[in-house]
Amino acid sequence: MLNIKDTRDAMMFVAISSLTAISIACILAVLTYEYFAPLNANANLAHVLFISTVISVPIAVLLAQHNLRISRYQSELETIANTDALTGLHNRRKFISLLPDRESFNGTALVAFVDLDRFKSINDRYGHSVGDEVFRAVAQRLRLHGDRLEAARLGGDEFALLIRNVRRKQDELSRLEALGQAISEPIETSAGLLSVGASIGAACFPEDADTPTALLRAADRAMLRAKARGGGVQRFDPVRDCEADEESAMETTLRRAIRAGQIQPAYQPILEISSGRIIGHEVLARWQGSCLPNDPSPGRFIPIAERIGAIDELFWNLMEQVLTGPAVRRSEGVIAVNVSPNQLQDRTFASRLGALLMRHGVPARRLELEVTETAMFRDMKAAIETLSRVADLGVSVALDDFGTGHSSLSLVRELPLAKLKIDRSFVSSLDWSDHSVKIVSATISLCRALDLTICAEGVESERVLGVLKELGCTFAQGYHIGHPAIVPVPCSARRRRPATSLPRLSEPLPGPA
Ligand code: C2E
Ligand code: CA
Ligand code: CA
C-alpha cells in the first residue's frame, strides 16, 4: 500500500509520464501523418489527433508504471536505510537526522535516551529470540506514548525519543516518568512474563545542548546518572554530568599517564613537635599535565586507579621516582607512602618491596607504609600477613586516618603498627571543640600505652599545634607546617616559626568562626 507521500509522488509520476507520452505520441503522429498524407488525400488534423491519442495512452500507462516501480523501490530502500528492522522504529541514522540544530531550528525540543535495565540477563538466560520479543514490546509501548514524539532504537538495548515543541519541560519529564513505568510493566513473551526496567536521561534543546551530537551525548550522560541511581528519569545537569565525562576521560588516560611518569610524588613535611624539626615527608601522588581542564586530585584519581586495576602500577611507578628522588637522596629523613587496600592482599607485595629497596640501596628503616582502617577490613588475615612481612623487612607501618573508619582498638593491637595518624577532622577543630580535645587526648594516651608514636594531620594553625604539644603528640603535619611540594623542604631543618608562646589548654577555647 502506498502512503500519502507515495500517492502524491504517484500523481506526479502519472503527470510527468503522460506529458512525456503525449510528446512522443505527437512526434509519432506528425511522422505518421507526413507518411500517409501523400497516399491519402482525405488525411487531416483530426486523424493526427486520433493517431496521437491511440499511441500516447499505452505509452503513458507503461511509462507511469515503470516510474512508479522505480519510485517504490527507492522509497523502500530509504525506509530500510532509516528503520530498525527488528522494531520498526527509526534507526540511529534517521534519529540523528531528525534532531534539532541551532542553525536550522528555532523552537524547543527534548531528547531522551532510554536504556533498558536487566535486559542483558534476560538475553543471556532466555536467548536472543526472547530478547527480540522484549525489544518489540518496548517499541510498542514507546509508540503508544507517541503524541509529538519520534522514537528510535539506537542499537542494543538503547532507545531514544525526540519530543518537539516542548512547552512545559516538567510535563514532558513527567511523561517520561510515565513512559519508564510503562516499560517496566511485565512483558508477555514465549518464555513467560518478563520485566525490564528503564533508565532515562533527558536533555533540552536549546538550554542543555544545541547540536544533535551534543544533545545525544548530554541525554546519554544524564541516563548514566539515572542508571547509577537504579533507574528513573534524570535531566542533564552540566555540573554533575560533566564530572562523569571527566571521570571517563580519566579512566582512559590514567594508565597512559602512569606509564608516562605524569603521576609524580609531592612531599609534605612531617614535624617532630618537641624538637621543632622536620624529620621526614609523606609522599602524595600528583597528576601533572593531565590534558584535563584541571589536574585531578588524588582524591579523584586514586579511586579510579583502584577501580580500573592500575593502582599497583601507580604505586610501583611512584616508588621508583621516590627512591631515586631528592627526598631520599639528599636527606636522611623518613619517607611515608600510602598503600591501597588491594595491595595488601598481594602475597608478593613485601618481597617486591624488599627487592626494590635493596636495588636502590635505601635502608628499610627509612620507609613507612600508611594504611587505612578500611584497607584492613577487606581480608583481615591477608592484610595482617602482608604487613607482618613488611615489618620484618624493617619498614614501619602507620595506621592512617585514625578515627574515620570503624576504629577498633583490638585491630590496633593485632597489627604490627609503629604509628597512628589522627585524621584531620579531629585535629582541625582542636582549638574550639572540647569534644575533639577529648578524642585526641584519649588517642594519645592509647598510643602511649601501646608504645606507638602519633602524628596529627591537618594542622592549619599555630594554636592547634600548641594544643597538640600540650597533649603530648609526637608528630604533626599540615598546611601550617608545610604544603605538599614537588621539591621537598630539607630534613633536620628547624621550622622558622617554633611552636612557642602556645596557648595553654586551661585557657578558654574560642568558638568556631
Ligand atoms: P591522606 O593520606 O590522608 O593525605 C593527606 C591529605 O590531606 C593530602 O591530600 C594532603 O594534601 C591534605 N592535607 C595535608 N595537610 C592539610 C591541611 O593542613 N589541611 C587540609 N585541609 N588538608 C591537608 P591529597 O594529597 O589530596 O591526598 C588525598 C588522599 O589521597 C590521601 O589522603 C591519600 O589517602 C590518597 N593518596 C594520595 N597519594 C596517594 C598514593 O600515592 N597512593 C595511594 N594509595 N593513595 C594516595
Ligand atoms: Ca596518608
Ligand atoms: Ca591521612
Side-chain angles (χ1 to χ4, degrees):
M1 276 272 287
L2 292 175
N3 58 32
I4 290 187
K5 185 175 172 283
D6 289 335
T7 311
R8 243 188 246 144
D9 286 349
M11 284 166 68
M12 215 170 76
F13 281 122
V14 169
I16 293 170
S17 308
S18 306
L19 278 175
T20 319
I22 288 167
S23 321
I24 296 171
C26 284
I27 296 166
L28 286 177
V30 170
L31 291 176
T32 314
Y33 176 73
E34 277 179 0
Y35 179 77
F36 283 110
L39 304 177
N40 186 351
N42 293 331
N44 58 26
L45 193 63
H47 291 124
V48 174
L49 285 177
F50 175 73
I51 298 167
S52 311
T53 315
V54 170
I55 299 171
S56 68
V57 170
I59 293 180
V61 171
L62 285 175
L63 279 174
Q65 272 182 344
H66 178 71
N67 285 343
L68 267 179
R69 236 194 341 261
I70 290 179
S71 127
R72 207 174 297 163
Y73 288 152
Q74 274 177 341
S75 90
E76 267 170 27
L77 280 176
E78 207 165 294
T79 311
I80 290 169
N82 287 326
T83 309
D84 173 54
L86 189 63
T87 59
L89 299 177
H90 296 314
N91 61 13
R92 176 183 281 271
R93 194 182 96 117
K94 173 71 178 174
F95 187 72
I96 290 176
S97 77
L98 295 174
L99 292 179
D101 196 311
R102 63 168 172 257
E103 315 268 282
S104 55
F105 186 67
N106 272 335
T108 52
L110 183 146
V111 173
F113 202 109
V114 183
D115 191 275
L116 301 186
D117 305 330
R118 303 185 298 279
F119 175 78
K120 193 177 171 303
S121 59
I122 289 182
N123 217 33
D124 291 349
R125 188 154 171 212
Y126 301 105
H128 291 295
S129 66
V130 173
D132 290 352
E133 289 175 49
V134 172
F135 283 150
R136 280 192 282 265
V138 169
Q140 186 55 24
R141 291 173 190 187
L142 293 180
R143 273 193 209 98
L144 289 177
H145 282 72
D147 173 34
R148 286 180 297 117
L149 183 147
E150 303 273 2
R153 179 169 163 246
L154 301 182
D157 59 354
E158 293 170 352
F159 293 79
L161 304 168
L162 168 66
I163 304 172
R164 292 205 188 87
N165 302 323
V166 172
R167 264 169 246 117
R168 278 173 41 88
K169 283 174 211 100
Q170 200 43 52
D171 291 349
E172 301 301 351
L173 292 172
S174 307
R175 172 144 80 124
L176 291 178
E177 292 274 5
L179 180 62
Q181 276 160 16
I183 292 175
S184 310
E185 295 284 315
I187 296 170
E188 220 174 300
T189 69
S190 51
L193 281 183
L194 298 174
S195 75
V196 285
S199 298
I200 304 178
C204 293
F205 175 90
E207 307 95 292
D208 298 340
D210 57 6
T211 63
T213 10
L215 267 169
L216 212 52
R217 195 176 50 226
D220 182 30
R221 285 280 154 234
M223 181 278 290
L224 287 177
R225 191 152 41 80
K227 205 161 206 64
R229 293 187 169 197
V233 180
Q234 291 292 324
R235 183 182 164 186
F236 177 70
D237 175 325
V239 176
R240 281 183 289 175
D241 293 327
C242 288
E243 256 174 30
D245 249 355
E246 211 172 273
E247 201 143 306
S248 68
M250 266 193 253
E251 279 185 17
T252 48
T253 51
L254 183 55
R255 213 180 279 273
R256 215 179 316 136
I258 296 169
R259 287 180 194 158
Q262 278 182 356
I263 310 294
Q264 293 174 2
Y267 301 94
Q268 182 170 39
I270 303 168
L271 178 82
E272 186 179 51
I273 298 177
S274 59
S275 68
R277 288 180 193 279
I278 303 301
I279 53 93
H281 296 89
E282 177 177 357
V283 174
L284 294 159
R286 293 288 176 267
W287 188 344
Q288 307 275 16
S290 64
C291 307
L292 296 163
N294 297 306
D295 285 338
S297 68
R300 292 195 65 198
F301 69 77
I302 294 285
I304 292 177
E306 282 167 350
R307 199 168 64 228
I308 64 172
I311 191 69
D312 210 40
E313 202 174 351
L314 185 148
F315 176 84
W316 295 110
N317 188 297
L318 211 57
M319 282 301 289
E320 285 282 346
Q321 296 183 60
V322 168
L323 295 181
T324 52
V328 167
R329 295 284 152 214
R330 290 197 212 129
S331 72
E332 281 298 304
V334 171
I335 300 292
V337 289
N338 293 281
V339 279
S340 282
N342 292 340
Q343 299 183 264
L344 299 181
Q345 312 299 318
D346 176 2
R347 294 188 181 279
T348 65
F349 180 85
S351 56
R352 219 174 143 184
L353 189 65
L356 187 75
L357 288 169
M358 188 111 72
R359 181 150 60 82
H360 288 287
V362 177
R365 63 176 162 73
R366 289 196 59 193
L367 192 69
E368 187 168 272
L369 284 193
E370 294 193 4
V371 297
T372 55
E373 290 176 76
T374 43
M376 304 289 131
F377 283 109
R378 302 259 164 118
D379 179 350
M380 189 67 169
K381 207 163 150 272
I384 293 176
E385 262 176 43
T386 300
L387 289 177
S388 304
R389 288 202 205 109
V390 164
D392 289 345
L393 291 174
V395 172
S396 57
V397 178
L399 188 60
D400 203 358
D401 301 343
F402 185 77
T404 54
H406 313 275
S407 56
S408 139
L409 298 183
S410 62
L411 171 74
V412 174
R413 275 173 197 267
E414 279 184 68
L415 297 170
L417 292 180
K419 187 195 265 184
L420 216 134
K421 296 186 81 171
I422 310 179
D423 188 68
R424 71 163 183 265
S425 51
F426 304 107
V427 176
S428 59
S429 50
L430 268 182
D431 55 349
W432 58 266
S433 161
D434 278 339
H435 180 67
S436 295
V437 171
K438 278 188 192 131
I439 290 178
V440 172
S441 166
T443 311
I444 291 172
S445 306
L446 167 80
C447 287
R448 281 214 193 101
L450 294 172
D451 207 16
L452 301 177
T453 59
I454 185 153
C455 178
E457 297 186 298
V459 176
E460 293 184 351
S461 71
E462 191 67 25
R463 191 174 174 90
V464 166
L465 190 58
V467 176
L468 288 166
K469 186 171 189 181
E470 184 94 355
L471 292 173
C473 182
T474 340
F475 302 110
Q477 238 179 293
Y479 293 163
H480 181 64
I481 296 147
H483 282 260
I486 295 293
V487 180
V489 294
C491 274
S492 301
R494 266 193 93 85
R495 278 182 71 239
R496 256 181 274 129
R497 196 153 32 137
T500 51
S501 64
L502 303 171
R504 302 199 58 82
L505 270 185
S506 46
E507 286 175 18
L509 299 170

